Amino acid sequence: QVQLVESGGGLVQAGGSLRLSCAVSGSIFFSHNTMNWYRQAPGKQRELVAGISPSGSTSIADSVKGRFTISRDNAKNMVYLQMNSLKPEDTAVYYCNTIYGIEYWGKGTLVTVSS
């Protein structure tokens, strides 16, 4: 069993920053897993925002490129999403995700960006 717990969401004004954290626990070789951040805005499909491989290679969605950064701390089993220059369209529930045999999701953390 693998548990993912997101934190760090909240209400921020446009142009502001937030740092999301995802704590990973359970029976998983964390350092061997690709970790992802997804988001789901009201009335929209869930979309992939960023991913980071075991080696630290990252991929960022075009919609947030240059503003969001994903990182990981293998010693702490943590994944982070640094979000800068936030826009109202970034408002969504943000989810941490990984695949370890099966797909695991956290419960999400809400980010609200006011204009």
Side-chain angles (χ1 to χ4, degrees), residues 18-113:
L18 283 175
R19 187 196 195 203
L20 305 185
S21 299
C22 173
V24 182
S25 62
S27 301
I28 182 173
F29 288 105
F30 175 81
S31 63
H32 293 187
N33 265 56
T34 292
M35 301 298 302
N36 304 302
W37 283 98
Y38 282 77
R39 69 183 181 185
Q40 187 166 20
K44 295 188 176 181
Q45 288 189 329
R46 195 170 294 189
E47 64 172 347
L48 179 63
V49 175
I52 185 166
S53 74
S55 66
S57 297
T58 63
S59 62
I60 306 291
D62 287 343
S63 58
V64 303
K65 196 166 290 184
R67 300 188 297 120
F68 290 13
T69 304
I70 186 171
S71 62
R72 66 191 297 160
D73 185 336
N74 288 337
K76 296 181 179 179
N77 283 19
M78 296 289 294
V79 184
Y80 306 99
L81 186 68
Q82 179 66 44
M83 306 186 296
N84 300 327
S85 302
L86 282 161
K87 304 176 180 179
E89 51 263 43
D90 295 319
T91 294
V93 178
Y94 285 73
Y95 298 92
C96 188
N97 161 276
T98 192
I99 297 175
Y100 188 68
I102 64 173
E103 194 164 23
Y104 290 94
W105 296 90
K107 293 183 178 181
T109 185
L110 176 63
V111 172
T112 304
V113 185

